[in-house]
Amino acid sequence: MGTNGRTDVDVVVVGAGMAGLYLLHRLRSMGLSAVALETADDVGGTWYWNRYPGARCDVMSVDYQYTFDPELEDEWEWSEKYATQPEILRYLQHVADKHDLRRDLRFETRVERAAWDDDSRTWAVDTSAGDTVTCRWYVMATGCLSAPKDPDIAGADRFGGEVYFTSRWPHEGVDLSGQRVGVIGTGSSAIQSIPIMAKEATELTVFQRTPNYSMPANNGAAPAERLARRTSEREAYVREARESLAGVPMPEATESALAVSEEERNRRYQAIWDDGHIISFSAEFMDLQFQEANDTVADFFRSKIRETVDDADVAESLCPTDYPVFTKRLCVDSGYYQTFNQPHVRLVDLRKDPLVEITETGVRTESGLHEFDVLVFATGFDAMTGAIVRVDIEGRDGIGLKDRWADGPLTYLGLMTAGFPNLFMVTGPQSPSVLSNMAVSIEQHVEWITDTIGDLRTAGLDTIEPTSTAEAGWVQHTSDFADLTLMDQANSWYVGANVPGKPRIVMPYVGGVGRYRKVCDEVVGADYLGFTRSGADGVERTVDGVVRQLQPDAMIVLEVMAEMGMPAFETLGVDGAREMVVATSAERPPGPDVGEIVDGTLPGAGGDLAYRLFRPATDGPHPVVVYFHGGGWLWGGPDSDEPWCRYLCVESDAVVVSVDYRHAPEDPFPAAADDALAAVRWVGDHAAELGSDPARLIVAGWSAGGNLTAVTCQRVRDEGGPMIAGQVMITPVTDYDPTRGSMIENDGYLLTPALMQWFWDHYTHSSERRDPRCSPLRGDLAGLPPALVATCEFDPLRDEGDEYAAALAAAGNEVEHLRCRGQMHTSIPSVGVILSAEDHRADIARAIRRMIGATVSA
Ligand code: NA7
């Protein structure tokens, strides 16, 4: 197409890499007209450009290939475990030829600008050839690591010798023999190319700002076992890859790295090391994303570096020490560390000897000028968003994508962005993308996009766009997930930290490809939840909503329970349910260490009650918290909420006395309420003996224990003391009413409406349920102690808790109401399990400190 021409197609695809090629194939098979615009003069995308010496994929070839055409798998044989760039490029060229894709490809054509026209409901895509292609649907298949980062170093353009970028290596190759070469950067590209460059160069100097974790590829033939399985159980193999975490079939880790001896751990790390398969780490131990377990891998890597590198100072410089392993892309190398043992190779540690500028003849660091003939920039990419925002994309109402994303990418599922109808991204930010085997993620996205276009056509519609609610929800979910990891601790390109001025946000979705695929499928199954779809005749269909609102760790707990096939408590009978509670409690983390734990008994309303006292390690006398456990008035004991009691003890610096009470059905209402009152009185009377201060007495409880807390505070007021400094009710039961919204909405989050009804049925007779001693919301709420009420979004008890907080405030009491977004009924006491509730726990401890008059820092 000549200058100033205009072409109309159904779909414009930008990029002819792995994604662009498959898109063309799928679109064509749907009978759609499509054109792919590509800056390069051939197919390949990343594998066209990234041709520096030693460039290889860091996912095994057996896994890094298309699955859409099984024939391809038979006819293409990978020569090595990790394929080189030329081999992958040949493979992609082969795919383009085999499926006759070149006729829809326009090479040496850069997309300059794309603008949405609301009247014609089309995109107009301006190219560097001076023409415009209009299309209904516009797909950015531009890759995550394709926009090279500008060298942000003073004098970068001054150097008079030869300059190369690993990201744009000359196709004819570079002869470095006899040259003095300087390399800036020690990311994956540098780590792969340095050993090869060192073979030719007479002098090689590596400028390192941040050392990386790298392990040997131990390359060789493609692993026979995997290959055999892939062939003999092809369907299962492909399915496992799609349902996995990283897009590679791998058993799920179930063991903690800290549960085995150091010797055993290192033996297992060594086996992965020898195997040269980084993704195996994710299958070895389940907690490597947590600091303590992560440290064990980091130590292992550092020991390997020290073993390999002769010069102790150089080895120390090469050891990463200030960020966790896996939070920057883990590298796979072939002889990287050994290279530094060669006499003509030198490492300049820029942390000790900072880079000042680049001059006409070399690189000046604080210690002096390093002169070179050749300078290689291995300085990386403006990752994930760079290639997208570099095109001037204008959406609805003239809004520019770059401006809209100024504070970070905003996407729904990493596939689309609000205000930009019919603009799709393949492996966009907030999808698993770079944290996964790209081949798997690309295929999933291409299939989702093309299926969506197909569904639109079937429905007689032509436009799709995410709602802002759905998008905000997804951005929140991806950020909630990332908060559970150590990802933000490194200045990596995952968080945009390598590009000066780029907003710092964990960009890839960390939840894994299997979980992510499920979300995408669910969205479609719910009639395109979170999207507005429309047609030319003014038809508009919006199914608004957020696809994931539960906190990710709460979600994982539910997933694990579903996998284990845990039956509903109420189906087990009371004894069976009690047994299951005891069995599951045995598995939980113990909670923090306290100064002392003492067991005792105190007189209840109908006989002795056991208690467990947790004392802080600090000097007393301490305030005292009388704590009532949860368990629907049916089960539990002084140790049922022990991790949470320990937490409260340490963080509020208070003695916590966790008191048992009689349970239904053996001892129904009002036995538990009467015991609670007796226990609070006894602790009030004996506080000094317990090493605590009776003037600073708090009553607290979770769930049924929250109910007992509320009830006791009302009764103490009416029945003569003791003085209570504060009441803390965590997701309390406050009123019997099965018709409340949260009771109906929140089914499936451990405490279910059916289970709650079962609890009520055992604890009370239906005629008793309006009694304030079990439904404290119906009591007199005037003149009560300062209160904290915590309610969780996905809890059947949410609304009655909210109402209790509001009613307490309306009655003139001091109330702090903590609404816990995305949490479920069990979240707060699940110390060490639901990490996303950590801030809420801290808020509760702070509230207790305030109630007892301690100085509280925010
Ligand atoms: P990376 O991994 O971003 O590496 C770039 C390297 O360049 C890294 O060591 C950077 O140090 C360094 N760098 C960047 N800018 C500077 C400046 N201004 N001064 C000194 N050093 C600098 O890119 P790669 O191409 O190696 O790899 C990208 C991905 O492609 C890789 O993960 C594979 O998945 C394939 P820093 O760490 O930022 O301190």
Side-chain angles (χ1 to χ4, degrees):
M1 174 58 57
T3 309
N4 297 327
R6 199 174 168 88
T7 325
D8 293 312
V9 290
D10 292 321
V11 188
V12 164
V13 172
V14 188
M18 203 172 210
L21 293 180
Y22 185 32
L23 271 163
L24 279 187
H25 174 69
R26 288 274 294 199
L27 292 166
R28 194 186 282 170
S29 69
M30 293 163 68
L32 290 161
S33 58
V35 62
L37 308 175
E38 167 60 59
T39 314
D41 62 8
D42 197 1
V43 299
T46 289
W47 299 108
Y48 172 94
W49 296 108
N50 259 304
R51 49 176 79 215
Y52 57 81
R56 282 179 195 276
C57 186
D58 55 6
V59 174
M60 288 199 214
S61 333
V62 54
D63 296 309
Y64 191 83
Q65 57 182 329
Y66 289 119
T67 63
F68 73 85
D69 175 5
E71 238 181 62
L72 254 177
E73 289 163 43
D74 295 335
E75 66 198 26
W76 190 269
E77 209 169 296
W78 295 100
S79 64
E80 286 178 288
K81 181 167 85 172
Y82 292 110
T84 58
Q85 172 269 333
E87 188 169 11
I88 301 172
L89 183 58
R90 275 201 306 279
Y91 170 76
L92 294 174
Q93 288 165 337
H94 170 72
V95 174
D97 294 336
K98 176 174 183 212
H99 290 284
D100 188 21
L101 301 174
R102 290 180 190 276
R103 68 184 152 97
D104 292 328
L105 275 158
R106 272 212 237 155
F107 294 116
E108 296 179 84
T109 306
R110 177 188 296 281
V111 173
E112 307 280 7
R113 183 168 182 275
W116 172 252
D117 175 36
D118 230 1
D119 295 330
S120 62
R121 310 158 72 74
T122 55
W123 282 95
V125 180
D126 299 339
T127 78
S128 55
D131 66 342
T132 300
V133 188
T134 59
C135 58
R136 177 78 61 206
W137 296 289
Y138 172 51
V139 190
M140 293 291 277
T142 38
C144 295
L145 293 155
S146 47
K149 187 181 91 133
D150 296 329
D152 47 351
I153 301 171
D157 51 0
R158 273 168 61 195
F159 184 66
E162 292 170 39
V163 174
Y164 301 103
F165 284 80
T166 47
S167 53
R168 293 287 180 267
W169 202 255
H171 287 205
E172 59 282 8
V174 179
D175 182 7
L176 296 176
S177 45
Q179 309 277 353
R180 295 167 305 160
V181 179
V183 181
I184 300 179
T186 50
S188 179
S189 304
I191 283 177
Q192 288 188 339
S193 56
I194 281 167
I196 297 177
M197 293 196 270
K199 283 190 185 139
E200 292 183 1
T202 40
E203 267 177 39
L204 184 79
T205 305
V206 177
F207 294 90
Q208 172 191 274
R209 184 164 69 180
T210 315
N212 258 294
Y213 295 95
S214 183
M215 67 185 279
N218 288 332
N219 209 2
E225 211 180 298
R226 253 180 194 271
L227 270 178
R229 172 138 197 265
R230 190 177 170 123
T231 312
S232 62
E233 297 171 46
R234 187 182 176 279
E235 249 176 62
Y237 191 94
V238 169
R239 192 184 57 245
E240 277 173 42
R242 291 176 177 176
E243 290 173 358
S244 69
L245 205 61
V248 171
M250 202 55 79
E252 210 157 294
T254 51
E255 205 178 358
S256 161
L258 308 173
V260 300
S261 69
E262 189 182 343
E263 201 184 11
E264 163 72 2
R265 214 164 36 221
N266 286 339
R267 190 191 59 71
R268 284 158 69 166
Y269 292 153
Q270 183 67 47
I272 298 173
W273 190 265
D274 294 340
D275 196 30
H277 191 208
I278 40 175
I279 297 175
S280 297
F281 276 109
S282 62
E284 203 55 43
F285 296 113
M286 64 179 189
D287 49 358
L288 297 183
Q289 78 277 27
F290 299 126
Q291 191 68 60
E292 213 179 332
N294 188 284
D295 286 344
T296 65
V297 192
D299 284 344
F300 180 82
F301 271 81
R302 286 188 285 264
S303 73
K304 289 293 172 192
I305 297 170
R306 290 176 187 128
E307 250 171 48
T308 311
V309 178
D310 297 340
D311 183 307
D313 289 339
V314 176
E316 279 323 298
S317 283
L318 287 166
C319 282
T321 50
D322 59 356
Y323 65 93
V325 61
F326 311 123
T327 56
K328 261 168 125 66
R329 179 86 172 211
L330 193 58
C331 300
V332 183
D333 69 271
S334 300
Y336 174 63
Y337 294 114
Q338 290 83 343
T339 307
F340 291 94
N341 293 335
Q342 298 176 34
H344 68 299
V345 178
R346 210 155 69 87
L347 181 73
V348 177
D349 184 342
L350 296 177
R351 290 173 170 195
K352 293 185 187 143
D353 183 11
L355 202 158
V356 178
E357 60 173 350
I358 292 174
T359 71
E360 285 72 12
T361 56
V363 176
R364 187 186 307 283
T365 61
E366 276 186 4
S367 69
L369 181 64
H370 309 261
E371 297 203 314
F372 303 113
D373 306 308
V374 176
L375 203 48
V376 175
F377 287 95
T379 40
F381 298 88
D382 182 353
M384 306 201 68
T385 52
I388 299 174
V389 298
R390 278 179 194 195
V391 175
D392 178 10
I393 303 179
E394 193 182 291
R396 205 189 281 289
D397 305 324
I399 292 169
L401 186 62
K402 194 173 178 180
D403 294 337
R404 184 152 195 273
W405 284 13
D407 296 328
L410 300 170
T411 79
Y412 184 34
L413 308 172
L415 277 159
M416 299 196 80
T417 180
F420 295 78
N422 290 2
L423 164 64
F424 296 97
M425 294 165 282
V426 180
T427 61
Q430 289 147 358
S431 79
S433 55
V434 291
L435 294 181
S436 70
N437 173 3
M438 275 295 191
V440 170
S441 286
I442 283 173
E443 281 198 333
Q444 187 241 340
H445 267 192
V446 168
E447 286 159 18
W448 195 93
I449 292 166
T450 48
D451 287 350
T452 295
I453 293 175
D455 287 349
L456 281 172
R457 294 209 308 163
T458 310
L461 303 169
D462 57 23
T463 309
I464 182 163
E465 180 186 346
T467 68
S468 45
T469 311
E471 182 182 83
W474 185 251
V475 171
Q476 180 70 61
H477 173 65
T478 56
S479 138
D480 285 344
F481 230 134
D483 285 349
L484 297 177
T485 69
L486 303 171
M487 209 52 111
D488 189 40
Q489 288 192 23
N491 292 324
S492 69
W493 53 258
Y494 291 145
V495 302
N498 64 329
V499 176
K502 195 166 171 172
R504 191 183 177 102
I505 285 166
V506 179
M507 289 185 285
Y509 178 68
V510 304
V513 301
R515 197 172 278 121
Y516 172 78
R517 177 182 290 264
K518 235 182 184 168
V519 174
C520 294
D521 292 348
E522 237 174 86
V523 162
V524 174
D527 203 19
Y528 286 91
L529 171 66
F531 285 106
T532 294
R533 291 177 302 155
S534 49
D537 46 5
V539 183
E540 195 177 285
R541 276 194 222 160
T542 300
V543 184
D544 207 358
V546 172
V547 65
R548 286 285 181 274
Q549 285 177 292
L550 189 65
Q551 287 289 342
D553 43 1
M555 191 171 94
I556 291 168
V557 166
L558 295 181
E559 282 171 10
V560 170
M561 290 194 159
E563 264 166 39
M564 286 162 49
M566 290 259 291
F569 284 102
E570 66 274 20
T571 62
L572 298 173
V574 173
D575 289 340
R578 285 174 179 166
E579 275 167 29
M580 190 159 93
V581 170
V582 170
T584 48
S585 297
E587 304 287 321
R588 67 192 175 181
D593 288 338
V594 298
E596 185 188 26
I597 296 181
V598 182
D599 287 335
T601 54
L602 56 83
D608 277 354
L609 302 173
Y611 71 78
R612 179 164 285 185
L613 180 147
F614 305 87
R615 194 187 310 285
T618 52
D619 290 339
H622 299 97
V624 59
V625 177
V626 182
Y627 180 84
F628 298 116
H629 63 79
W633 306 288
L634 262 62
W635 56 69
D639 60 345
S640 342
D641 299 342
E642 177 155 338
W644 172 224
C645 290
R646 287 170 176 243
Y647 178 96
L648 285 175
C649 167
V650 172
E651 297 300 326
S652 14
D653 198 30
V655 164
V656 174
V657 186
S658 173
V659 183
D660 202 8
Y661 47 86
R662 283 170 295 161
H663 295 125
E666 295 86 347
D667 294 292
F669 174 79
D674 291 345
D675 280 348
L677 178 63
V680 167
R681 285 199 169 134
W682 186 87
V683 173
D685 290 346
H686 296 80
E689 287 161 45
L690 299 174
S692 58
D693 175 3
R696 294 182 293 158
L697 172 66
I698 302 281
V699 184
W702 166 61
S703 191
N707 171 271
L708 297 176
T709 300
V711 169
T712 303
C713 289
Q714 291 185 18
R715 292 182 72 182
V716 159
R717 175 200 57 197
D718 301 335
E719 297 176 34
M723 275 293 293
I724 292 177
Q727 49 175 335
V728 176
M729 291 153 286
I730 316 298
T731 59
V733 186
T734 71
D735 184 34
Y736 177 77
D737 180 359
T739 66
R740 279 197 174 83
S742 59
M743 251 317 149
I744 294 160
E745 287 160 27
N746 293 321
D747 205 352
Y749 305 103
L750 295 184
L751 176 66
T752 61
L755 180 58
M756 199 56 227
Q757 181 64 46
W758 190 67
F759 287 147
W760 275 108
D761 289 346
H762 282 91
Y763 183 48
T764 59
H765 185 268
S766 57
S767 63
E768 296 164 334
R769 291 179 187 158
R770 301 177 75 83
D771 190 318
R773 287 173 304 160
C774 60
S775 288
L777 185 58
R778 293 171 189 269
D780 171 12
L781 299 182
L784 290 170
L788 176 130
V789 183
T791 54
C792 290
E793 189 176 2
F794 295 98
D795 181 1
L797 302 181
R798 180 196 65 212
D799 291 353
E800 63 197 75
D802 288 350
E803 280 178 46
Y804 199 65
L808 282 174
N813 301 292
E814 216 178 284
V815 184
E816 189 174 339
H817 185 184
L818 199 63
R819 292 174 197 266
C820 306
R821 179 182 61 79
Q823 298 295 355
M824 57 185 184
H825 185 69
T826 50
S827 293
I828 292 174
S830 297
V831 174
V833 178
I834 305 287
L835 303 183
S836 59
E838 206 51 37
D839 286 351
H840 304 311
R841 290 184 197 110
D843 282 344
I844 293 167
R846 256 195 301 272
I848 292 179
R849 284 167 171 262
R850 255 195 306 270
M851 287 168 175
I852 54 183
T855 318
V856 178
S857 55

